[in-house]
């Protein structure tokens, strides 16, 4: 029998933390293994408990963004999802650059949060669609226009997958739409990120935005 996804919740607001913990505990397949309220506690949790996924706020003692590299230095495989109120492009970009695998806002519902955690635990990255759209329409300094030419070197299928990623679909949704196995979609994404020399799905979508007069494909 499979064990649940082991989750740690790090936020300096006890009531919010308790609410997240209670909500996830009531959903099958999750186990809350630790709680914390600061950068130092997050690092200690990663080092001693090594949860499958850590939910991390930005605004807390020591700073959530500062916590990411510190956590990954002691637990390189730790999957981190930022759960915060900040919608700032700079915060989203910085979190992804430092190594966070997900970025979502605190208004998310319990079931949607559970799905994001499952997505990240399975090895995918996730950024709330509204935040992805802001990044795509923003002018991030590191968008590297020179990479735009690399999109043309992708195969037809890889370009199709990349358009769907840029429209906000998960690997599971893409697999369903294209009638592929999810593992096949993951393989395509690995190839796409390698060819575009990017670290995550959002960066890949930004390269597509720079390469084309991009509009979301119809679904």
């Amino acid at each position: 029998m499979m064990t649940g996804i082991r989750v740690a919740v790090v936020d300096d607001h006890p009531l919010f933390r308790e609410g997240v913990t209670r909500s996830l505990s009531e959903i099958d397949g999750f186990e809350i293994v630790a709680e914390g309220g600061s950068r130092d506690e997050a690092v200690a949790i990663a080092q001693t408990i090594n949860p499958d996924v850590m939910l991390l706020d930005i605004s807390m003692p020591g700073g959530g963004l500062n916590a990411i590299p510190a956590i990954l230095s002691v637990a390189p495989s730790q999957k981190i999802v930022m759960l915060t109120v900040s919608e700032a492009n700079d915060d989203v970009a910085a979190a992804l650059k430092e190594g966070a695998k997900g970025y979502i806002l605190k208004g998310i519902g319990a079931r949607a949060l559970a799905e994001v955690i499952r997505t990240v635990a399975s090895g995918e990255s996730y950024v709330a669609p509204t935040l992805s759209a802001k990044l795509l329409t923003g002018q991030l300094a590191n968008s590297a226009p020179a990479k735009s030419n690399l999109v043309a070197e992708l195969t037809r299928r890889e370009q199709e997958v990349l358009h769907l990623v840029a429209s906000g679909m998960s690997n599971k949704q893409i697999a369903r739409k294209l009638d592929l196995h999810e593992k096949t979609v993951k393989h395509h994404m690995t190839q796409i990120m390698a060819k575009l020399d990017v670290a995550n799905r959002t960066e890949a979508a930004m390269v597509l935005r720079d390469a084309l007069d991009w509009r979301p494909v119809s679904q």
Side-chain angles (χ1 to χ4, degrees), residues 77-88:
S77 63
Q78 178 65 68
K79 297 180 175 71
I80 300 169
V81 174
M82 307 308 291
L83 179 57
T84 179
V85 298
S86 175
E87 300 182 42

Side-chain angles (χ1 to χ4, degrees), residues 60-150:
M60 62 181 187
L65 293 177
N66 293 333
I68 300 172
I71 290 167
L72 296 179
S73 70
V74 300
S77 63
Q78 178 65 68
K79 297 180 175 71
I80 300 169
V81 174
M82 307 308 291
L83 179 57
T84 179
V85 298
S86 175
E87 300 182 42
N89 275 5
D90 288 348
D91 285 342
V92 180
L96 297 175
K97 182 179 179 181
E98 292 293 353
K101 298 300 183 183
Y103 197 107
I104 50 181
L105 300 176
K106 284 187 173 181
I108 192 171
R111 295 286 171 181
L113 174 60
E115 186 59 33
V116 171
I117 294 172
R118 291 189 190 101
T119 296
V120 171
S122 73
E124 294 186 45
S125 298
Y126 182 90
V127 177
T130 55
L131 299 179
S132 293
K134 286 180 66 178
L135 283 177
L136 287 167
T137 55
Q139 296 298 320
L140 294 182
N142 297 325
S143 51
K147 291 184 179 180
S148 300
N149 296 330
L150 298 177

